[in-house]
Amino acid sequence: MPVRYTPELKQRAVELVLHAQADPATAHGAVTRIANELGLSKESLRVWVRNHNTAPTAPLNPSIWKQKTADYESNSRK
């Protein structure tokens, strides 16, 4: 049965990897090293980091989306 990790643990592990990868002295092997330190699968951590790097920065608030759409439509009519 797969192990379930809390979102907080996932986020903290990803932050540790990103911080380690930002420093050239600790970048090499960061995922493997941090996964071992936290007792995680290195592949799970690698996927979490990849998903973090490809995810949109922030979801759009529906009210902001509606306003942007209305602004675009009003500008395109001019």
Side-chain angles (χ1 to χ4, degrees), residues 10 35 38 43 45 56 68:
K10 290 179 182 182
L38 297 176
E43 284 303 306
L45 183 52
K68 287 183 182 271

Side-chain angles (χ1 to χ4, degrees), residues 24-52:
T26 59
H28 183 72
V31 172
T32 301
R33 186 175 58 256
I34 292 168
N36 289 338
E37 289 174 3
L38 297 176
L40 305 170
S41 160
K42 69 179 179 180
E43 284 303 306
S44 294
L45 183 52
R46 184 187 62 78
V47 169
W48 299 343
V49 171
R50 186 185 66 213
N51 289 342
H52 173 80

